[in-house]
Amino acid sequence: MQKSILILGACGQIGTELTIELRAKYGSENVVASDIREGGESLMQSGPFELLDATNYEAIEDVVMHYEIDEVYLMAAMLSATAEKFPMRAWNLNMNSLFNVLNLAKEKKISKIFWPSSIAVFGPNTPKENTMQSTIMEPSTVYGISKQSGERWCEYYFKKFDVDVRSVRYPGLISWKTMPGGGTTDYAVDIYHEALKKESYECFLNEETKLPMMYMDDAIRATINLMESPSEKLSVRSSYNLGSMSFTPKEVAQNIRKHIPNFEISYNPDFRQQIADSWPSSIDDSAAKRDWNWQPEFDLEKTTEEMLDNLKDTV
Ligand code: AKB
């Protein structure tokens, strides 16, 4: 049976690529993109679009009823760096949007939800290397606190109301089609743009800051695989650890130099350094591997090739 999908926050970094992939898979007319602002041409031209505020329950409900939506992907969120500047706005957006979709599912108006969590659920007391699925969390950022709370609510709605909600803890995501906005891992995208434009980059994290990262194609594949997995296979209803690669700014720079030998990097850490220092360096994702066969395909070499190759004609 053909299903109908709604994406909230479709114009953001993940939402844009997810919408395009879901449209290719399920048919353009069956995937409704929505956001509080219009997006890029490829998204706006390829299927239905609704201007929608993810914090407005009635507005989402209207769109769900109108298009007879079965599944919602909630991609609207305020990320870590911006959330430190606007804590209450971040809390309102990140939590109210989640309650809206959880309650729609509780009321049986939709049947399945995808909601993204993040490595930001971990904090300074979390073991840094191969961070386990279940371990000390204690996030120290506004964004991390909202994501950890969200995870608890997802599991609660699953257990209490049988809501089929699924989630992964995304690492930093690297993509060339859409820019990230307001995150701590954004340097890993900016660096490729600046390398092509100026052959130099000033990084807002120090050279040894090792963080978990992932190329967008892997992230989109993980998201759709998880959503297509049989419910009974899923043992985690808070959010799955999702691993791929880990690297430092220095290592990305060394990799870029294989293609742009004159590339130079300098370091000028700002408030985002403290956020990055509170996050894990690498992730144990054995639960995702076991439950739904997760396997990443992109390492740093391949990511660098893809980024430089696809961006070279845009600068
Ligand atoms: C951020 O840096 O805030 C995000 C994330 C890791 O969730 N990219």
Side-chain angles (χ1 to χ4, degrees), residues 13 79-81 117-120 143 170-173 182-186 212 279:
Q13 189 200 14
L79 298 188
S80 57
S117 186
S118 160
I119 53 163
Y143 174 63
Y170 288 126
L173 298 181
T184 301
T185 57
D186 294 7
W279 290 351

Side-chain angles (χ1 to χ4, degrees), residues 218-239:
D218 273 342
I220 300 295
R221 202 165 42 80
T223 306
I224 297 176
N225 283 356
L226 172 62
M227 285 297 270
E228 287 184 340
S229 297
S231 182
E232 61 279 9
K233 292 257 185 215
L234 306 181
S235 61
V236 176
R237 290 297 186 151
S238 51
S239 190

Side-chain angles (χ1 to χ4, degrees), residues 125-167:
N125 297 327
T126 304
K128 277 215 171 305
E129 292 291 346
N130 286 324
T131 302
M132 308 270 283
Q133 176 68 41
S134 298
T135 181
I136 300 166
M137 296 177 93
E138 301 174 11
S140 58
T141 63
V142 173
Y143 174 63
I145 294 168
S146 75
K147 287 295 179 189
Q148 194 199 18
S149 310
E151 288 191 6
R152 296 291 88 227
W153 281 110
C154 287
E155 194 181 277
Y156 181 86
Y157 269 68
F158 171 72
K159 288 195 172 144
K160 192 105 180 170
F161 308 120
D162 206 22
V163 164
D164 189 356
V165 54
R166 301 165 183 216
S167 176

Side-chain angles (χ1 to χ4, degrees), residues 268-303:
N268 188 9
D270 65 16
F271 73 102
R272 289 169 281 193
Q273 184 65 50
Q274 205 183 352
I275 302 177
D277 287 342
S278 77
W279 290 351
S281 300
S282 59
I283 294 292
D284 175 343
D285 59 359
S286 41
K289 287 186 165 126
R290 181 194 62 219
D291 289 1
W292 43 282
N293 300 322
W294 163 242
Q295 204 53 57
E297 287 176 1
F298 286 80
D299 59 11
L300 178 56
E301 299 259 323
K302 207 167 155 195
T303 299

